Amino acid sequence: MTHPQDPLASTDGGSPARPIQVETHGLDVIGDADRKGTPRTLFWPWFGANVSVLGLSYGAFAFGFGISFWQALAAGVLGIVVSFLLCGFIAVAGKRGSAPTMVLSRAAYGVRGNRLPSVISWVLTVGWETVLTALATLATATVFSRLGWGGGTETKVVALMVVAALTVVGGVMGFDLIMRLQTFITVITGVLTLVYIALVADHVHWSTVSALPAGSAQEFVGALVFMMTGFGLGWVNAAADYSRYLPRSSSSRGVIGWTTFGACVAPLLLLVFGLLLAGSSQSLSKAVAADPIGALTTILPTWFLVPFAVVAVLGLVGGAVLDIYSSGLALLSAGLRVPRYLAALFDGLLMIAGSVYIVFFAGDFLGQFMGFLTTLGVPIAAWCGIMLADLALRRRDYDDGDLYRPHGRYGDIPLPPLLLTLAATAVGWGLVTNTAASWLTWQGYLLSPLGLGGKTGAWAYANLGVLVALALAFTGTLLLGRGRVRAQEAQAPSPVTDEGVLNA
């Protein structure tokens, strides 16, 4: 059998690459023989997943909050770095437990209690892979339309089939192919993105950008939270899925540093240039809201449209592949008892169905997208707070066997973390709004009682609920979970038998 860690070994100058096969690992702990590599190999999957030209469009998204260039830059830098730093911290759990993120979460939530955050994680990752696939399809159609090669329904159908095939094959094959694919995507998209920036640099007009008026503190906070949910908070629930292949002796600082650096470097550069482009042209900024990737082609010379389509599709596929891999693991952790590759295939079918809706039937993209991010961002932020606090309280590695035993040290369905998650989510949803998505008008119910101006006041679009959910869950776990963690770590290692093991 091909070891899933082979690409890390070959990247790090170890054994040569072996033939790629379907990964057989699911929720199981990665054995010592399969754990190889160093933290710096984490750079490739995280960079490849976040080098997408979608990062340029976030410049227009930020200006949608009515803030200046410098405010948008500060919100973007803080949002990207802080949110991916959270990913780096959670990635440490991977090398300490060598299991998928949503299995390691059982230490905090219990073996079966963890099914609640697993379902939320699954919905988030399926949603993200759907959004990325739809954007790649729309971008291809726009490029073909400009070239006079079609761009209508037939083009969209073919583009969707190609993008979906690349994504599903990567997710089904698993870690080995993903690591090699991400290295390839990193190089190609990195080079072509630099060419794109050079070609459209003359569209930047600093005098126009610098003249944009400043927004309020509430609008700045809204942009900051949007950046956090659009970047790192969309990945925290999968942050340990790749570090779990590293040896347990790997440097925790190295895991945090390389995860954060690999994920941050491309979005930061793309955001800065995206802000300069969007701030220079109000018409381009508005067009991005409707077609985030395709709108970027309107300022390109014709000869670079095909290379741009390549960089756009590869960048988006890079993110979608990681999402579909992690969504399959989350679905298994939620209780579905099938092989990992079948779970990934099932998620791929849902992704295709969702992409068809977005491409052929949905109207306003940005409004629905923001609603999706903020709504699921709240419970994911609550889970992240609990996971971070639980990880900070632990002094030892996870007990591998008890992560799968309902009657082990981590418990079956402990109520405190579940009730804390529900409470933090309820408070968080009461502090976020999104009027562009009609199905979310019920949110924001605490803005008026708390004296924040109601659903039309100054704080209505600050989306404070995401930060509040994160803070409440983190603080609550630190206060309530210390005794539980100490009692767990005082127990002797669990037996190596399969008795009482829950496999899903």
Side-chain angles (χ1 to χ4, degrees), residues 60-433:
F61 298 161
F63 284 133
F65 286 88
I67 55 180
S68 69
F69 169 80
W70 293 112
Q71 286 178 312
L73 181 63
V77 171
L78 283 174
I80 291 171
V81 174
V82 171
S83 63
F84 278 124
L85 188 60
L86 299 180
C87 290
F89 287 134
I90 290 180
V92 172
K95 70 101 177 180
R96 291 176 65 176
S98 299
T101 312
M102 298 313 297
V103 170
L104 299 171
S105 177
R106 292 174 176 178
Y109 282 90
V111 175
R112 277 191 277 239
N114 188 64
R115 288 179 175 177
L116 173 63
S118 292
V119 169
I120 297 171
S121 172
W122 174 69
V123 173
L124 179 65
T125 47
V126 169
W128 262 113
E129 68 202 43
T130 300
V131 166
L132 296 176
T133 300
L135 287 177
T137 302
L138 291 170
T140 303
T142 302
V143 168
F144 274 56
S145 178
R146 279 205 59 198
L147 289 170
W149 296 350
T153 301
E154 296 83 0
T155 302
K156 292 176 181 177
V157 169
V158 173
L160 177 57
M161 290 174 61
V162 172
V163 172
L166 289 172
T167 303
V168 173
V169 168
V172 168
M173 293 299 292
F175 184 85
D176 196 343
L177 178 60
I178 288 173
M179 291 298 292
R180 299 187 191 185
L181 181 65
Q182 294 297 70
T183 304
F184 169 78
I185 289 175
T186 295
V187 175
I188 298 298
T189 55
V191 172
L192 292 179
T193 300
L194 291 176
V195 175
Y196 174 88
I197 290 175
L199 289 173
V200 301
D202 59 339
H203 288 269
V204 173
H205 306 291
W206 175 246
S207 59
T208 304
V209 176
S210 60
L212 291 172
S216 65
Q218 294 92 333
E219 290 167 331
F220 172 80
V221 172
L224 171 65
V225 173
F226 179 75
M227 290 294 176
M228 291 182 67
T229 55
F231 287 99
L233 279 179
W235 287 109
V236 288
N237 53 314
D241 290 353
Y242 304 93
S243 56
R244 67 181 174 133
Y245 288 92
L246 294 174
R248 293 179 191 253
S249 59
S250 301
S251 165
S252 294
R253 289 185 179 181
V255 170
I256 295 170
W258 283 106
T259 297
T260 306
F261 176 65
C264 280
V265 61
L268 287 174
L269 294 174
L270 291 169
L271 174 71
V272 172
F273 194 73
L275 288 171
L276 292 173
L277 276 180
S280 300
S281 171
Q282 188 175 7
S283 61
L284 175 63
S285 188
K286 289 182 178 179
V288 166
D291 186 0
I293 305 298
L296 298 174
T297 67
T298 59
I299 54 177
L300 275 175
T302 304
W303 67 267
F304 192 70
L305 287 177
V306 172
F308 177 82
V310 171
V311 68
V313 170
L314 284 180
L316 294 168
V317 166
V321 166
L322 262 66
D323 275 321
I324 197 171
Y325 179 76
S326 294
S327 70
L329 294 174
L331 188 57
L332 297 181
S333 184
L336 183 66
R337 299 193 177 194
V338 298
R340 182 206 59 79
Y341 59 87
L342 287 182
L345 181 61
F346 173 73
D347 288 349
L349 296 176
L350 290 179
M351 174 194 76
I352 293 171
S355 300
V356 167
Y357 171 75
I358 294 176
V359 172
F360 297 103
F361 301 103
D364 171 42
F365 170 81
L366 184 57
Q368 306 299 324
F369 180 54
M370 292 179 67
F372 164 75
L373 287 182
T374 54
T375 299
L376 287 184
V378 170
I380 284 296
W383 171 86
C384 181
I386 288 177
M387 186 71 177
L388 288 171
D390 182 82
L391 186 62
L393 290 171
R394 297 189 182 277
R395 297 294 177 265
R396 298 182 180 178
D397 289 346
Y398 297 99
D399 185 280
D400 295 345
D402 279 352
L403 286 171
Y404 303 86
R405 293 186 178 91
H407 302 294
R409 73 190 66 209
Y410 301 122
D412 191 11
I413 309 177
L415 289 180
L418 291 171
L419 293 176
L420 183 57
T421 300
L422 294 174
T425 299
V427 173
W429 277 341
L431 296 173
V432 298
T433 61

